């Protein structure tokens, strides 16, 4: 993919589609009210938003936490921040005050943008911060800047191009042996390179209406709710609903609205395939289904094909990458496989020496970075050179996942090479959960691993050694689960808890999580 010296996603991609002001960029609904925004309207709104942020003191390179649900302002504000070449840090509204406090301590945050509903968590987080960021709210709150009021009176600023290798976005991602890492993407590694995602995997074109279920705080929203669709001039569809989005509601939405392409986590597909009656699988306009976030079972793909006449096209990538492996509409699908490399990437299975593994032999999924680094790969982990270096083996970037390749070149997922838990499309690091649990007086030690689940693929399970003053009970299990929910993002709580007398350890005292996980999976 050609890389320009300078690039601006708002100027070079989004605003080009705005030249025809009738093209719909965003189709938003809450089930009661439908709102459509053309590329031209969002260009105007985001340009005025950029002007407002500039007036507040937000400049190029400043890091800005954008913690908003999927309301129209999220798209407007992401564009506005990018027009300034400030660095947005998307954050889920599921974050707790402690999560926000960690982000404030991890790097210099210039501003936080959120809703009045989430503002109290931010206020709790900044109590222990040495530097108070600019606080911007969608709504009304004392001592916060009212975004709408400032935007409405601001001068428009369409933005300037930045050098392609300069920072454009940061995502926090969980690791296995420490707190979340900060993934830096440049102006080409995500904003430009997700053209590959939109064109080849999502198979989008102007006139398509694309619905992605991902939370706005996850990197997957950048994939399928922002860069991928808008590169192709497609319309982003969003259904705003507070609380859990039930499978029946997804089915009814696909029946009611003219969605043409749909992206969901495997969990959603599993529940719909198992819980929804066959006769309801009649959708108004969908021509293409895709899934990502975790492996999708072959049985579910085949059930979906039987009921809808269409395959679910599995795709693979990371927070650190764009889509790098996928099943494509132009090629035969092998249900259950990860598919083939996306154009622009050399992907292989390598052994411990960095050599290509033989056919049908398990190894590391690796992306070739020498002699030329592919465009759609992150720059580095901010302020963590050791973590960055650990991803490199010779000429390869190591993804941390294991797979094998068949005789036709299709990749087949085997499992994580670390302890990351993949549940309902979320990536959860055990260290964070263990750190929360140890704060409860009942917990002497804990080990957190993945445990199989028919619907979610995997769920979080905690093995806990109790202190002497506590005894195992169902009441204590519920208490510990609520404790985790209150002290980290609620979706991370252990759905299974087992009390044990001791934990398996190495001679050096390290917990053998792999042994516990293998036991859970019956190996």
């Amino acid at each position: 993919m050609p890389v320009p010296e300078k690039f601006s996603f708002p100027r070079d991609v989004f605003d080009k589609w705005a030249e025809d002001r009738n093209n719909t960029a965003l189709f938003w609904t809450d089930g009661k009210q439908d709102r459509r925004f053309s590329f031209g309207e969002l260009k105007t709104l985001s340009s005025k938003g950029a002007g407002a942020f500039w007036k507040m003191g937000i400049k190029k390179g400043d890091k800005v936490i954008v913690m908003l649900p999927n309301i129209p302002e999220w798209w407007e504000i992401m564009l506005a921040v990018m027009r300034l070449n400030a660095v947005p840090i998307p954050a889920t509204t599921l974050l707790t005050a402690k999560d926000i406090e960690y982000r404030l301590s991890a790097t210099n945050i210039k501003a936080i943008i959120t809703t009045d509903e989430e503002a109290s968590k931010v206020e709790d987080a900044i109590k222990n911060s040495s530097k108070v960021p600019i606080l911007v709210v969608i709504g009304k709150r004392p001592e916060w800047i009212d975004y709408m009021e400032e935007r409405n009176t601001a001068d428009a600023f369409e933005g300037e191009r930045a050098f392609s290798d300069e920072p454009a976005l940061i995502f926090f991602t969980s690791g296995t042996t420490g707190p979340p890492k900060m993934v830096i993407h440049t102006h080409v590694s995500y904003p430009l390179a997700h053209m590959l995602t939109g064109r080849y995997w999502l198979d989008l074109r102007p006139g398509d209406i694309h619905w992605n279920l991902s939370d706005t705080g996850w990197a997957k929203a950048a994939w399928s709710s922002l860069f991928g669709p808008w590169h192709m001039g497609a319309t982003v569809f969003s259904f705003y609903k507070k609380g859990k989005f039930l499978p029946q509601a997804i089915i009814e939405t696909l029946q009611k609205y003219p969605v043409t392409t749909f992206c969901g986590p495997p969990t959603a597909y599993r529940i719909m395939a198992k819980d929804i009656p066959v006769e309801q699988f009649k959708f108004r306009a969908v021509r293409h289904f895709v899934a990502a976030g975790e492996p999708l079972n072959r049985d579910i793909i085949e059930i979906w094909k039987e009921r809808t006449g269409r395959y679910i096209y599995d795709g693979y990538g990371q927070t650190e990458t764009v889509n790098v492996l996928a099943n494509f509409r132009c090629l035969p699908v092998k249900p259950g496989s990860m598919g083939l490399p996306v154009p622009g990437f050399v992907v292989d299975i390598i052994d411990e020496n960095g050599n290509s593994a033989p056919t049908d032999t398990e190894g590391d999924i690796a992306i070739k970075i020498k002699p030329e680094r592919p465009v759609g790969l992150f720059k580095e982990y901010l302020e963590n050179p050791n973590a960055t270096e650990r991803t490199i083996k010779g000429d390869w970037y190591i993804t941390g996942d294991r797979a094998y390749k068949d005789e036709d070149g299709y990749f087949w997922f085997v499992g994580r090479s670390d302890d990351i838990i993949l549940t309902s499309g979320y990536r959860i690091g055990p260290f964070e959960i263990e750190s929360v649990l140890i704060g409860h007086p009942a917990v002497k030690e804990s080990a957190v691993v993945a445990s199989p689940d028919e619907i979610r693929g995997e769920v979080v399970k905690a093995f806990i050694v109790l202190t002497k003053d506590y005894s195992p009970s169902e009441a204590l299990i519920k208490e510990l689960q609520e404790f985790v929910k209150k002290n980290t993002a609620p979706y991370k709580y252990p759905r299974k808890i087992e009390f044990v007398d001791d934990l398996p350890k190495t001679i050096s005292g390290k917990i053998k999580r792999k042994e516990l996980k293998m036991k859970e999976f019956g190996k």
Side-chain angles (χ1 to χ4, degrees):
M1 176 187 293
V3 176
E5 181 183 14
K6 289 188 173 183
F7 179 74
S8 164
F9 178 81
R11 292 291 303 275
D12 294 323
V13 178
F14 190 86
D15 292 356
K16 295 296 183 183
W17 292 107
E19 291 172 3
D20 182 347
R21 299 187 67 87
N22 294 320
N23 290 336
T24 301
L26 177 64
F27 184 155
W28 182 93
T29 183
D30 60 3
K32 300 175 183 177
Q33 178 188 14
D34 295 347
R35 298 176 64 188
R36 290 176 172 82
F37 297 83
S38 70
F39 282 93
E41 288 173 305
L42 275 182
K43 175 184 177 181
T44 299
L45 291 171
S46 62
S47 295
K48 288 177 70 65
F53 289 141
W54 177 269
K55 189 176 177 181
M56 294 174 203
I58 300 172
K59 303 294 191 294
K60 178 180 178 179
D62 287 339
K63 302 182 186 75
V64 180
I65 292 178
V66 182
M67 191 172 74
L68 297 171
N70 60 327
I71 54 177
E73 288 78 13
W74 183 79
W75 285 269
E76 174 186 330
I77 286 170
M78 287 294 290
L79 286 168
V81 173
M82 287 189 286
R83 288 186 188 278
L84 293 173
N85 291 315
V87 183
I89 304 176
T92 174
T93 56
L94 295 173
L95 294 182
T96 64
K98 283 192 174 182
D99 294 322
I100 299 166
E101 185 178 338
Y102 171 76
R103 283 153 175 74
L104 289 169
S105 66
T107 190
N108 184 30
I109 302 296
K110 181 72 173 183
I112 300 178
I113 305 165
T114 193
T115 62
D116 48 6
E117 291 181 64
E118 307 297 331
S120 62
K121 293 191 292 188
V122 176
E123 291 170 347
D124 289 342
I126 64 176
K127 288 176 182 176
N128 299 320
S129 177
S130 59
K131 184 178 179 182
V132 177
I134 298 168
L135 302 177
V136 185
V137 69
I138 308 298
K140 301 287 184 182
R141 194 171 184 88
E143 300 183 12
W144 286 64
I145 298 173
D146 183 330
Y147 172 74
M148 293 298 194
E149 187 176 295
E150 294 298 315
R151 181 255 272 161
N152 291 342
T153 58
D155 294 328
F157 178 68
E158 294 184 3
E160 297 176 344
R161 294 171 178 85
F163 286 104
S164 294
D165 62 353
E166 291 184 289
L169 295 99
I170 292 175
F171 287 95
F172 278 77
T173 182
S174 294
T176 58
T177 57
K181 299 187 289 290
M182 293 176 283
V183 177
I184 298 182
H185 277 285
T186 67
H187 286 277
V188 296
S189 69
Y190 248 37
L192 177 61
H194 269 305
M195 181 271 289
L196 301 170
T197 303
R199 175 174 294 176
Y200 295 112
W201 178 49
L202 300 180
D203 189 43
L204 295 172
R205 61 200 71 160
D208 272 326
I209 299 176
H210 180 68
W211 186 19
N212 170 39
L213 292 183
S214 177
D215 185 290
T216 51
W218 308 126
K220 187 62 178 62
W223 283 44
S224 283
S225 299
L226 188 64
F227 299 124
W230 282 349
H231 261 294
M232 307 310 296
T235 299
V236 172
F237 178 84
S238 180
F239 194 119
Y240 176 63
K241 182 181 182 297
K242 293 182 181 180
K244 193 173 182 181
F245 208 100
L246 299 174
Q248 185 64 46
I250 298 173
I251 293 288
E252 291 173 358
T253 302
L254 294 174
Q255 291 171 344
K256 179 179 179 181
Y257 291 96
V259 173
T260 60
T261 58
F262 176 78
C263 179
T267 299
Y269 284 110
R270 290 188 192 108
I271 296 175
M272 287 188 285
K274 288 181 174 290
D275 293 354
I276 305 299
V278 176
E279 59 270 16
Q280 292 193 31
F281 283 76
K282 295 176 182 175
F283 307 133
R284 179 173 170 182
V286 189
R287 66 173 182 81
H288 186 39
F289 296 95
V290 297
E294 58 184 338
L296 183 58
N297 314 72
R298 177 176 188 150
D299 289 350
I300 300 300
I301 295 173
E302 291 177 339
I303 289 172
W304 203 264
K305 176 68 162 63
E306 190 178 296
R307 295 185 181 180
T308 68
R310 301 185 183 280
Y311 283 112
I312 301 168
Y313 290 77
D314 219 355
Y316 169 82
Q318 302 177 302
T319 301
E320 292 87 344
T321 73
V322 297
N323 180 221
V324 296
L325 291 170
N327 289 275
F328 305 109
R329 284 172 58 84
C330 60
L331 295 171
V333 172
K334 290 191 177 185
S337 82
M338 305 169 75
L340 298 161
V342 172
F345 288 92
V346 175
V347 188
D348 204 353
I349 304 298
I350 64 171
D351 62 22
E352 62 274 11
N353 299 315
N355 300 317
S356 293
T359 298
D360 296 327
T361 302
E362 180 187 329
D364 289 312
I365 303 174
I367 300 169
K368 194 77 173 290
I369 57 173
K370 295 177 183 178
E372 186 175 351
R373 188 179 180 89
V375 176
L377 189 61
F378 80 125
K379 184 174 184 177
E380 62 185 351
Y381 295 116
L382 181 63
E383 299 172 11
N384 198 340
N386 290 335
T388 304
E389 185 64 27
R390 286 195 295 271
T391 66
I392 299 170
K393 181 184 288 186
D395 294 347
W396 302 92
Y397 163 76
I398 307 300
T399 65
D401 288 314
R402 306 277 290 179
Y404 64 89
K405 196 167 61 170
D406 68 19
E407 60 184 7
D408 297 319
Y410 283 72
F411 287 69
W412 297 82
F413 188 79
V414 172
R416 295 292 302 163
S417 58
D418 54 25
D419 293 323
I420 285 288
I421 301 163
L422 298 175
T423 177
S424 299
Y426 298 155
R427 292 167 57 86
I428 299 174
F431 179 83
E432 182 181 2
I433 314 305
E434 291 166 5
S435 298
V436 172
L437 284 167
I438 205 70
H440 191 284
V443 179
K444 181 179 179 181
E445 287 185 297
S446 70
V448 171
V449 300
S451 181
D453 183 84
E454 188 175 59
I455 298 299
R456 294 177 176 85
E458 296 178 351
V459 294
V460 176
K461 178 168 182 178
F463 291 87
I464 293 175
V465 179
L466 293 174
T467 55
K468 61 182 177 63
D469 296 326
Y470 287 80
S471 300
S473 69
E474 286 299 318
L476 182 55
I477 288 175
K478 288 183 170 56
E479 181 180 335
L480 290 170
Q481 289 172 329
E482 289 303 315
F483 181 78
V484 174
K485 288 181 183 179
K486 290 177 182 176
N487 286 280
T488 189
Y491 68 88
K492 298 179 181 179
Y493 83 95
R495 293 178 182 272
K496 299 179 182 179
I497 290 179
E498 181 176 339
F499 298 112
V500 294
D501 293 330
D502 52 48
L503 299 171
K505 296 175 182 176
T506 65
I507 194 168
S508 61
K510 294 180 181 179
I511 296 170
K512 297 160 87 172
R513 293 185 186 84
K514 184 177 180 180
E515 182 176 311
L516 292 170
K517 182 177 178 179
M518 291 178 72
K519 177 184 173 184
E520 285 300 298
F521 283 82
K523 297 181 180 179

